[in-house]
Amino acid sequence: MSDSAKTLPPDPSARPIPVLEIFGPTIQGEGMSIGRKTMFVRTAGCDYRCSWCDSKFTWDGSAKDEIRMLSAAQIVEELFALGGDTFDHVTISGGNPLLISQMSCLVQQLRERGIRTAVETQGSRWQDWLVRIDEVTLSPKPPSSGMDTDFEALDSIVSRLLEAPGRRDLCIKIVIFDENDLTYARAVHKRYPDVPFILQTGNPQVSGESDDHVSSLLKRYEWLIGRLSELPDLKDARALPQLHTLVWGNKRGV
């Protein structure tokens, strides 16, 4: 068989991406970019099953008929169809986008258009495209989630991001529901003292709304601020609310 007749192996980066939502422009409601104008691409699939997950539809099968298998070019086209020239930032969300190796093609196409990218992941999986993301939030899950942290995997991810060439913004964010979560967060911060650290109030009402939803979240935020102010080992930490839950509750696509 001639060289020209040989079949080349498929390019993994060309595989379609499982997408559940593309929306915006809106604001980033949490983490290091809180309040920033952004577009969202939400992927399907997660390797965790957090008890209080506000995006269970990405992994519990309830939205399986909504999954679209899109190429990177199709995603970029839809982003610009929705946002036009009003945005320069895209948040890749999930589920856990780090399950998807072919995301590298999307990240590259956005970079070529001068679009900054952000991603949040629990720090359980590595993909090489992570070093090309402008804003990386690692969010290991505390005891209230019901999940166990693989610190060996998280150690490796933090080290690789810190050692990789090029500048990117990196932070660790822990969702806090109770004192046990706060104890866990303090241990995580001690483990990675040189990584900017964020505490964020948890939202226990993820499957509906109530008349006191906002006031309940603000009371949790007030409690978190109070505890943060008392702890010398968290003197350089930030306490944040989830802005999108205060404005839109549990509404999707905002």
Side-chain angles (χ1 to χ4, degrees):
M1 181 182 292
S2 66
D3 289 342
S4 61
K6 291 179 180 178
T7 301
L8 295 174
D11 180 1
S13 69
R15 296 198 307 270
I17 296 167
V19 176
L20 268 170
E21 294 182 311
I22 300 176
F23 61 92
T26 183
I27 62 160
Q28 173 56 261
E30 56 191 70
M32 76 171 81
S33 303
I34 190 167
R36 197 203 197 284
K37 188 177 183 179
T38 190
M39 300 289 291
F40 274 88
V41 176
R42 187 184 299 280
T43 61
C46 192
D47 51 328
Y48 273 27
R49 299 292 184 267
C50 296
S51 60
W52 36 252
C53 178
D54 59 1
S55 304
K56 286 184 178 180
F57 62 91
T58 63
W59 51 261
D60 68 2
S62 62
K64 62 181 180 180
D65 294 335
E66 301 176 38
I67 298 173
R68 295 182 293 158
M69 302 302 295
L70 302 179
S71 69
Q74 288 174 316
I75 295 172
V76 171
E77 181 180 2
E78 189 164 332
L79 285 167
F80 280 96
L82 287 170
D85 63 354
T86 67
F87 72 97
D88 64 358
H89 188 275
V90 170
T91 299
I92 301 169
S93 185
N96 184 7
L98 269 294
L99 297 177
I100 304 170
S101 61
Q102 62 268 34
M103 193 68 74
S104 58
C105 191
L106 174 61
V107 174
Q108 178 61 27
Q109 290 193 27
L110 291 171
R111 177 180 287 266
E112 290 171 354
R113 289 162 174 78
I115 304 298
R116 286 181 63 84
T117 53
V119 72
E120 179 175 322
T121 176
Q122 56 263 41
S124 59
R125 302 290 183 93
W126 173 264
Q127 298 287 353
D128 288 342
W129 56 261
L130 193 59
V131 300
R132 299 182 64 79
I133 295 290
D134 297 296
E135 300 163 10
V136 178
T137 297
L138 299 176
S139 185
K141 306 309 178 187
S144 62
S145 70
M147 298 291 102
D148 295 322
T149 300
D150 181 345
F151 279 105
E152 184 175 342
L154 187 58
D155 287 347
S156 174
I157 291 170
V158 171
S159 294
R160 292 170 82 167
L161 286 171
L162 291 176
E163 294 170 3
R167 183 186 181 279
R168 71 195 53 80
D169 294 326
L170 172 65
C171 78
I172 291 176
K173 185 195 79 176
I174 310 290
V175 176
I176 304 296
F177 280 86
D178 54 34
E179 198 66 42
N180 287 336
D181 288 352
L182 190 57
T183 299
Y184 168 89
R186 295 169 71 183
V188 170
H189 187 39
K190 183 177 181 180
R191 193 179 188 100
Y192 313 110
D194 298 326
V195 180
F197 195 67
I198 294 171
L199 304 177
Q200 181 179 288
T201 50
N203 174 20
Q205 301 180 41
V206 295
S207 59
E209 305 290 347
S210 66
D211 293 339
D212 68 342
H213 185 64
V214 170
S215 62
S216 174
L217 291 174
L218 289 175
K219 287 177 182 177
R220 287 177 172 272
Y221 186 39
E222 183 180 13
W223 172 82
L224 182 58
I225 293 171
R227 292 294 291 123
L228 179 62
S229 68
E230 298 167 350
L231 299 171
D233 56 331
L234 295 179
K235 62 183 65 175
D236 57 347
R238 285 182 283 166
L240 296 178
Q242 285 184 310
L243 284 186
H244 56 288
T245 60
L246 295 176
V247 178
W248 295 293
N250 297 316
K251 185 179 179 181
R252 282 178 57 180
V254 290

